[in-house]
Amino acid sequence: MDGKANNAPAIGIDLGTTYSCVAVWKHERIEIIPNDQDRTTPSSVAFADAERLIGDGAKNQATMNPANTIFDAKRLIGRRFSDSKVQDDMKLWPFRVIQGPVHTPKIVVTYKGEEKEFLAEEISSMILGKMKETAEAYLGKVVKDAVITVPAYFNDSQRQATKDAGAIAGLNVMRIINEPTAAAIAYGLDNKSDINGKINVLVFDLGGGTFDVSILTIAKGDTIEVKAVCGDTHLGGEDFDNRMVDYCAREFRRRSNKDLTGNKRALGRLRFACEKAKRILSCSTQTSIELDGLHEAIDFSMKFSRAKFEELNMSFFSKCIEIVEECLREAKMEKSCVNKVILVGGSTRIPKVQCMLEELFGRKELCKSLNPDEAVAYGAAVMAAKLSGELFSVVIPRNTPIPTKQSKYFFTSEDNQTWVDVNVYQGERTRSTDNHLLGTFMISEIPPAPKGVIKFMDTFEIDENGILTVTSEIILTGKTEKLTITNKNGRLSKKQIEKMVKDAEKYKQEDQEYKKKADAFNALEDCIYNMKNKIKSMKKSRKLRKMEDAIVDTANWIKHNQAASVDEVQRMKEDLETICK
Ligand code: AMP
């Protein structure tokens, strides 16, 4: 698994607070890469006596080694020790955090008998390294390039620290993208726009410990603007579990007159059973919790209904909806202007949460076809494939009526990139190489800048003859390059055929009119011919002269009145016949 030639495709990583997920573009679709147990990996690192454990291994021994099992590194990364959030969170963690140099927080653990200090970046890099290894084992190749997601509210320092964590893990971080943006990309919404050229997307992300709402406006040409971000950094599935645990503990006391809340092992077992029951209640309306010898050798068994679960957690669900409304107010957007609502995070599987969102926005607006734990990694992998040229973007969709003109923005993908190849394809397949390459051109003299900074506008224009002109413009300097592709293969375009069919219909009607008129003139000329024959055998008379004059006049009239209507021609014939009777 070494050597550049054996490099794997770029991967997308959702580096979550409690769980992380990795995905890749493979076999013409996005694949979520499972570790040896699951499709998501706990964002936990444990330092045990003899070894370091990452992911499931770390989480599984957490209760036995709480002081040296690190989780929530995402709550620390890029923050100062004095940050009020850090100070508040520290009170909840079983591990120790101290102030390091330059106000950075440091996590203190005992590893192989020695005290060690780690920055949050280092812990996150261990998790990213685990995701990289998981992908390498799955792909059988060295993974280098990755897109990593962060919350939309992350500031520069938090983004940079996440990027550093990627670099420590040996990854080339192609781009850091916002989690809600990744979710919108996963649902293909970056390529959609309504008649106004934009759509509004609300991303509702309810995970294990955090709740984030983001409102995005996606404009034609791939620009995704974050309009507002709201949330609660301590609201999620774990709170729902806690309410269930409290309820069960009360029930245990009511039945046995014993308090189990001081018994850590009993509480751990109860929490585990409650979380499992909660998941079951997302698809069944009833379940049961059975725990033998829970506390002081007393068994615990009780039925739990979905209705009870909802009643216990209703205040949390209502709070979620209030935060959604707050986010709408911040974005200055009416709920009716939200075109799509994307569900992200495991807790959005809860039927009551979905039901409340449906009530607010309507059923058809909800996007929930992707696994909510995987949507962000999915979108990150789409972005990774796009950035590495594996995927291409559709600018003019099939069946778009021509003439048409559409533009899309693109960005440099490397630092100090001086030129870009623009490859123009025709086709519907997602991978560029599966489509028909129509032409290629280069735009150079790009001003030096870090990757992703220089913006291009590529405009695709098809005229009524199907001739495609692609213009690429460096927005900063205004420099443009152009490519014109004509329909050289001589086949008629769909539009040309449609025009011919329409023409044929129009002509058919005109042909019928013409035939009627031609028939009328023919009948008049036949009449003149017959009259001329008739007068040949007639003796000279006033009647004969009248008839001769009428025949000459009618013949002249025909010569000068070719535009006459059918009726007029028929009237001339009737007059001639009357005179010649
Ligand atoms: P995440 O951080 O997005 O991975 O979300 C994990 C949270 O989702 C945990 O609190 C889980 O208990 C919760 N979760 C996962 N599946 C379900 C489900 N089917 N019903 C309710 N909650 C779930």
Side-chain angles (χ1 to χ4, degrees), residues 14 16-20 40 59 205-210 236-241 274-283 309 344-351 371-374:
D14 167 12
T17 310
T18 47
Y19 282 90
S20 294
T40 57
K59 191 171 185 200
D205 183 348
L206 187 59
T210 55
E238 282 158 16
D239 297 296
F240 313 151
D241 303 345
C274 284
E275 204 257 354
K276 196 169 149 217
K278 174 185 76 173
R279 288 175 188 249
I280 294 169
L281 290 174
S282 286
C283 43
F309 170 76
V344 176
S347 301
T348 59
R349 290 198 183 89
I350 296 169
N371 195 329
D373 308 310
E374 300 169 359

Side-chain angles (χ1 to χ4, degrees), residues 105-172:
K106 284 201 131 188
I107 300 148
V108 187
V109 296
T110 305
Y111 181 37
K112 293 183 179 169
E114 270 183 48
E115 197 165 270
K116 292 240 184 269
E117 292 173 7
F118 293 103
L119 290 168
E121 286 91 318
E122 290 176 279
I123 302 294
S124 290
S125 83
M126 293 171 198
I127 297 154
L128 289 171
K130 171 82 178 174
M131 305 317 283
K132 179 179 184 285
E133 270 171 33
T134 300
E136 286 175 342
Y138 180 80
L139 298 165
K141 291 177 179 178
V142 173
V143 168
K144 268 266 61 35
D145 300 326
V147 168
I148 303 174
T149 59
V150 294
Y153 57 78
F154 257 28
N155 63 22
D156 273 355
S157 158
Q158 291 166 301
R159 283 166 201 266
Q160 189 54 51
T162 305
K163 212 173 164 189
D164 293 345
I168 300 168
L171 287 167
N172 166 41

